[in-house]
């Protein structure tokens, strides 16, 4: 048993000696998650204590040298009634009940704390999950007609609660940004309410956490928390339509876009691009990643994605586009203007 | 310990061999089967009320169902309880002619119920694929008809075995067990009737 | 009670060679194909369940090893997503449905009549039938896999992903119909165990004298009776949606995806107790033998087992905390999920107390039972953490839950099963397993398991989601996954050693006496292996530990070496439910092909439904009527009015 314990501990050393994962929720950055983080550490500590206690009790119990008793003909200890073992239960079970009760009370306290935002949320995000990307519509909470649409990358102002209305266009997904809030499923046919708030600037990664098909593994998102002024500027910027391209390469690229991409993708400001099957691309180049957090938004990745999405993300609805060299160059030039 | 001492302690007495009414494993087996089958209907009825609670549309979408055939079905099945019970009690007394009458009547009532239910399906304004209510309506009633048909086949077997002389006043456990299943089928119908046919009238959604 | 015409007073005798020969000729199966196919001997059926369930364990394990190779490093390309999704779905289905209950059915089928002091289960033909249906349903569930059409949307099969719109091929149809098919075996088995427990115990084995192993299985099977219909219904409704366009789960028609989840987890949570309570009772039964004393607080453990199953029906929503339910509902289910920890604590403390107040003997079986206690507690506390709703909203659907389920499933099912084999192998085969190989077996399994699954707690806390076929390199999950993969192969090596030990010991193991461990319950009063009739004369039981009575200084003594001889046919006594006083002599059916034929007809029906070949399904269903008549045809020995 000691050997086993050593091996396990050694296995954990490399695990312990490295920076925390971007997806860990044992540290958090907002009031929708902070009470849970404390609860998590508390219950984890209690669990480790209980497991260690019982493991020690078992180990000591089997190894402890008992006083010499009688042995039978086979060299085994004789069968006997044994001493009274009830105290183990009479103490152990009530102690367990007390610990469970304390945990339950703490749980309900945290449940109450994270159920609703501390103050009214001025911004509402209508998040519609798709196979395998996130459609996000921004609104001011008191003005549903305001706002704009983006995809996959969410910006929020620091210190301001943001309300989420989650739904799905196809199968059940789950919206999860670990360091900002717990999960809430996005279920077709219903709207689930959630909220989050970032208390410091930063980039927080999220991922879909309800198996949703072939590319469930590649349905990530990023939440970027900015200062109030930076957020306002970003909001203003996102509401603007895309400018018509002037450079010749970009203009011919716009034509390629029209014939190949506009059926599925919207670019506000470009006539004839109202497709709703894929993400809104009006400000594509303002995003840090593409393909729902799968690839960094570089020209090389964009080229690869646009020409053959299924090879990068098998099963995706976006088809392989057989573009020849000039077409691809033109299209990329146009996409680059969608800042 | 010798045989005499054992005998004094345990007092073996004459024990019946084989059939012993409710003391056979078959009785317990049937009770367990009824428990599990009743659960299926309970879960179906749960699904019915769950989907009703989740919709803001009228439920049933086509309005409360007509009772023209459902009420007679209920009456027929309730009557079949009486005939079944009567047949069972005559069997214990060995009045075989009455047993045949009772069993055959019960079987005919069961068949009549199945026929009425099929006609009722035909008259409904919706198909199983029309909407969730319709799907549940057909699933619940079809499953019940399947159970009733099974009970009818069981009864036919009982009648046949009576005719062959395998069932008589001293050997009637099989009929006791089959009767239990019959009562279960009728009891489920009551629950189904109330859920599907009465509740929409009593408590419209 | 009605008057029956045939009465018999059983004679009290001491068994001699003549009696044994007579009983052997009556109860044993003839050699050859017919005997093999038509047997209703619970010992044969039990062994078949054990072997078949083990084959499924190996299949599920290979699927897991494939997954682990794919996940060992970030961005691996070993298994494309279509295949990976089939692997993880088939792995879950195989382990949870085709291994974890059938293996326990194997133990129970073999041991129950022996422990209960009787000669067979209450329904021997139904027993045979449950095995054939299990085998055929298992094959049915796998027929798609070899063609790349194994189910691929997770063993829990959530809609709408599992609906026709998103998974149009055979995969989910095979899974759905196969599960309804398999449910018939599980339910029939439950009926058999319940009737056996209440009607065919040895005289004198009153409720307070029923060994703990019986309680674990009984409680699990009562739960099964009421839980399995929910999942069978769920899958049937899904198949109807897929095949006939019904709208149970389709939002556009008024259906709801969450209905699937409710029905599934109303089944699913009681099911997890059904697959661990019998295994826990294996530990409760076997651990005291190696501690040389009775189990501490036996009655409390029995009540805790019952309470766990009852409460198990009231916690299912804890699998659905993230689905947007009202907080008050979640609060209730969280509270219930905390409460259900308490009866588990009773069992754990009873085991620890038994060790502390006993005098341990370090056999291989003992090691596995002790390991179960430690792994149980680790799995239990991780489960307790997920009972806390807000914390669960972070933990759910991450590898933390994967760690939890494997600690409870492997820790509370696999380890006691392997320990149970070491414990009862001598009884079943007449030979002891090799203890030296057993040491290697144990340590490889224990170390491999912890190396493999403990890191999952950490990768889960670090946010690694479940059911992903790969992960990026900069998440910090790579090393943990590599360690897990290595550990899982070490564990597999341990399992391989176990299989080798079983095979070798069958032919070369040291010969075992009737009671090599000096244990206390009735199965150890028979030879190793037991004769076909189990007991030559019916025992009379006077305490919970019939073979330890003199050592425990019990006030009354069981009578094992003389008793009623029931040799007029294939007979055993039926006894009253609470006090176990004999009240009828039952004549058990013996060889018949009816169960196999019925199982084949049911398989034909499901095949017809799958292929939408309606005439095949209909013909097989109708053919069941004459088959069941054949099965149930009146027999003179069973007390029908038949001219013999």
């Amino acid at each position: 048993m000691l050997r086993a314990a050593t091996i396990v501990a050694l296995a954990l050393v490399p695990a312990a000696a490295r920076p925390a994962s971007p997806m860990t929720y044992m540290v958090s950055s907002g009031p929708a998650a902070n009470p849970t983080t404390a609860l998590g550490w508390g219950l984890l500590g209690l669990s480790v204590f209980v497991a260690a206690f019982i493991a020690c009790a078992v180990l000591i119990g089997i190894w402890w040298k008992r006083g010499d008793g009688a042995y039978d003909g086979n060299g085994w200890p004789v069968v006997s009634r044994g001493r009274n073992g009830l105290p183990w239960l009479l103490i152990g079970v009530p102690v367990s009940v007390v610990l469970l009760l304390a945990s339950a009370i703490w749980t309900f306290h945290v449940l109450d704390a994270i159920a609703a935002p501390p103050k009214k949320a001025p911004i509402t995000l209508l998040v519609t999950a798709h196979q395998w990307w996130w459609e996000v519509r921004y609104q001011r909470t008191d003005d549903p007609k305001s706002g704009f649409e983006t995809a996959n990358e969410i910006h929020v102002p620091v210190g301001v609660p943001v309300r989420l209305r989650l739904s799905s266009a196809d199968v059940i997904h789950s919206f999860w940004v670990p360091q900002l809030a717990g999960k809430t499923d996005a279920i077709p046919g219903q709207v689930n309410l959630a909220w989050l708030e970032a208390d410091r600037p930063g980039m927080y990664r999220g991922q879909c956490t309800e198996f949703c098909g072939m590319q469930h593994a590649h349905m990530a998102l990023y939440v970027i928390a900015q200062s109030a002024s930076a957020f306002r500027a970003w909001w203003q910027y996102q509401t603007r339509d895309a400018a018509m391209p002037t450079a010749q390469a970009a203009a011919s690229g716009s034509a390629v876009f029209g014939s190949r991409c506009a059926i599925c993708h919207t670019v506000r400001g470009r006539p004839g691009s109202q497709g709703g099957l894929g993400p809104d691309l009006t400000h594509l180049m303002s995003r840090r990643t593409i393909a729902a957090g799968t690839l960094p938004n570089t020209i090389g990745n964009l080229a690869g994605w646009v020409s053959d999405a299924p090879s990068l993300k098998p099963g995706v609805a976006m088809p392989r586009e057989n573009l020849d060299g000039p077409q691809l160059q033109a299209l990329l030039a146009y996409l680059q203007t969608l800042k | 310990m010798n045989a005499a001492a054992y005998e004094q302690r345990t007092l073996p007495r004459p024990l019946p061999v084989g059939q012993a009414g409710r003391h056979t494993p078959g009785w317990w087996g049937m009770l367990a089967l009824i428990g599990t089958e009743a659960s299926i209907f309970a879960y179906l009825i749960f699904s019915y009320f769950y989907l009703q609670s989740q919709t803001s549309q009228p439920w049933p979408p086509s309005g409360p169902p007509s009772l023209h055939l459902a009420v007679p079905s209920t009456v027929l099945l309730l009557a079949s309880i009486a005939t079944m019970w009567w047949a069972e009690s005559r069997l214990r007394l060995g009045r075989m002619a009455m047993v045949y009458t009772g069993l055959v009547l019960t079987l005919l009532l069961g068949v009549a119920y199945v026929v009425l239910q099929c006609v009722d399906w035909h008259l409904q304004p919706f198909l199983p694929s029309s909407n969730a209510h319709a799907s549940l309506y057909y699933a619940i009633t079809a499953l019940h008809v399947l159970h009733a048909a099974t009970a009818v086949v069981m009864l036919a077997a009982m009648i046949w075995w009576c005719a062959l002389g395998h069932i008589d006043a001293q050997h009637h456990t099989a009929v006791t067990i089959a009767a239990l299943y019959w009562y279960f089928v009728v009891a489920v119908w009551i629950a189904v009737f109330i859920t599907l046919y009465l509740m929409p009238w009593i408590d419209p959604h | 009670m009605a008057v029956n015409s045939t009465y018999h007073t059983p004679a009290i005798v001491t068994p001699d060679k003549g009696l044994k020969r007579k009983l052997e000729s009556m109860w044993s199966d003839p050699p050859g194909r017919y005997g093999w196919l038509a047997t209703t001997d619970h010992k044969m059926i039990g062994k078949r369940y054990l072997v078949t369930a083990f084959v499924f364990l190996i299949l599920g394990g290979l699927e897991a090893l494939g997954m682990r190779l794919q996940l060992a490093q970030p961005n691996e390309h070993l298994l494309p997503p279509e295949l990976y999704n089939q692997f993880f779905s088939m792995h879950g289905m195989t382990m949870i449905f085709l291994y974890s209950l059938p293996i326990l059915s194997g133990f129970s089928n073999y041991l129950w009549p022996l422990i209960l002091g009787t000669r067979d289960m209450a329904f021997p033909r139904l027993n045979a039938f449950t095995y054939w249906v299990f085998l055929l349903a298992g094959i049915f569930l796998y027929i798609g896999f070899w063609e790349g059409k194994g189910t691929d949307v997770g063993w829990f099969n959530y809609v709408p992903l599992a609906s026709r719109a998103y998974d149009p091929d055979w995969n989910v149809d095979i899974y759905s119909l196969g599960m309804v098919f398999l449910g018939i075996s599980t339910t029939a088995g439950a009926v058999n165990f319940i009737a056996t427990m209440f009607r065919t115990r040895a005289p004198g084995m009153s409720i307070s004298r029923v060994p703990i192993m019986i309680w674990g299985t009984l409680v699990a099977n009562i739960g099964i009776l009421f839980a399995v219909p929910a999942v069978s219904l769920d899958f049937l409704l899904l198949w109807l949606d897929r095949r006939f366009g019904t709208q149970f789960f389709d939002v556009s028609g008024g259906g709801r995806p969450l209905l699937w989840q409710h029905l599934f987890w109303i089944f699913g949570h009681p099911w997890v107790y059904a697959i661990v309570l019998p295994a826990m009772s294996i530990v409760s039964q076997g651990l005291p033998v190696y501690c040389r004393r009775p189990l501490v607080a036996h009655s409390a453990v029995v009540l805790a087992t019952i309470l766990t199953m009852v409460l198990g029906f009231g916690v299912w929503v804890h699998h659905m905390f993230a689905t947007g339910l009202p907080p008050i509902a979640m609060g209730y289910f969280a509270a219930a999920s905390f409460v259900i920890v308490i009866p588990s604590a009773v069992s754990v403390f009873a085991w620890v107390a038994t060790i502390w107040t006993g005098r341990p003997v370090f056999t291989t079986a003992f090691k596995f039972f002790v390991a179960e206690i430690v792994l149980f507690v680790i799995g239990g506390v991780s489960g307790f953490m997920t009972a806390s709703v807000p914390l669960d909203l972070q933990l759910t659907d991450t590898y933390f839950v994967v760690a939890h389920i494997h600690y409870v499933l492997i820790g509370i099912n696999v380890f006691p099963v392997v320990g149970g084999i070491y414990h009862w192998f001598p009884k079943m085969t007449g030979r002891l397993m090799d203890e030296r190989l057993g040491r290697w077996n144990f340590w490889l399994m224990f170390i491999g398991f912890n190396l493999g699954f403990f890191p999952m707690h950490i990768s889960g806390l670090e946010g690694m989601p479940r059911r992903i076929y790969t992960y990026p390199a900069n998440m910090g999950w790579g090393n943990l996954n590599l360690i897990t993969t290595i550990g899982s192969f070490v564990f597999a090596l341990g399992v391989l050693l176990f299989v080798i030990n079983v095979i070798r010991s069958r032919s070369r193991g040291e010969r075992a006496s009737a009671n090599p461990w000096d244990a206390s319950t009735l199965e150890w009063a028979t030879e190793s292996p037991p004769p076909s009739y189990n007991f030559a004369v019916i025992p009379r039981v006077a305490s919970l530990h019939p073979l330890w009575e003199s050592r425990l200084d019990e006030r009354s003594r069981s009578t094992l070496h003389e008793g009623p001889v029931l040799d007029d046919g294939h007979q055993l006594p039926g006894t009253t439910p609470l006090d176990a006083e004999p009240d009828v002599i039952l004549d058990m059916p013996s060889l018949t092909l009816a169960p196999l034929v019925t199982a084949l007809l049911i398989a034909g029906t499901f095949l017809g439904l799958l292929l939408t070949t309606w005439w095949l399904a209909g013909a097989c269903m109708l053919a069941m009527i004459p088959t069941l008549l054949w099965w149930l045809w009146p027999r003179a020995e069973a007390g029908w009015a038949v001219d013999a």
Side-chain angles (χ1 to χ4, degrees), chain A residues 93 96-97 100, chain C residues 304 307-308 311 337-347:
Chain A
V93 175
S96 307
V97 171
L100 285 166
Chain C
L307 189 62
T308 302
L311 288 174
S337 305
F338 279 120
V339 170
I340 207 169
V341 177
I342 298 171
S344 296
V346 169
S347 292

Side-chain angles (χ1 to χ4, degrees), chain C residues 357-407:
Chain C
T357 58
R359 300 173 65 194
V361 178
F362 282 71
T363 58
T364 307
F366 176 73
K367 294 190 180 86
F368 277 99
F369 296 151
V370 168
E372 182 263 2
I373 305 173
V374 176
L375 300 177
F376 183 147
V377 175
I378 297 176
V381 293
S382 58
F384 146 80
M385 284 174 68
T386 59
S388 171
V389 178
L391 187 54
D392 184 64
L393 294 178
Q394 296 284 32
L395 297 170
T396 192
D397 251 289
T398 67
Y399 263 78
F400 189 85
V401 179
V402 181
H404 162 68
I405 59 184
H406 286 87
Y407 267 84

Side-chain angles (χ1 to χ4, degrees), chain C residues 402-403 406-407 410 448-457 484 488 491:
Chain C
V402 181
H406 286 87
Y407 267 84
I410 298 184
F449 170 70
N450 283 293
L451 202 60
F453 290 91
F454 196 86
M456 285 186 184
H457 291 109
T484 293
S488 58
F491 180 71

Side-chain angles (χ1 to χ4, degrees), chain A residues 47-74:
Chain A
S47 301
V48 169
F49 167 73
V50 167
F53 176 83
I54 300 289
C56 287
V58 167
L59 283 175
I60 296 172
I62 63 180
W63 282 116
W64 160 51
K65 291 272 172 281
R66 289 142 174 83
D68 227 4
Y71 288 83
D72 63 20
N74 297 325

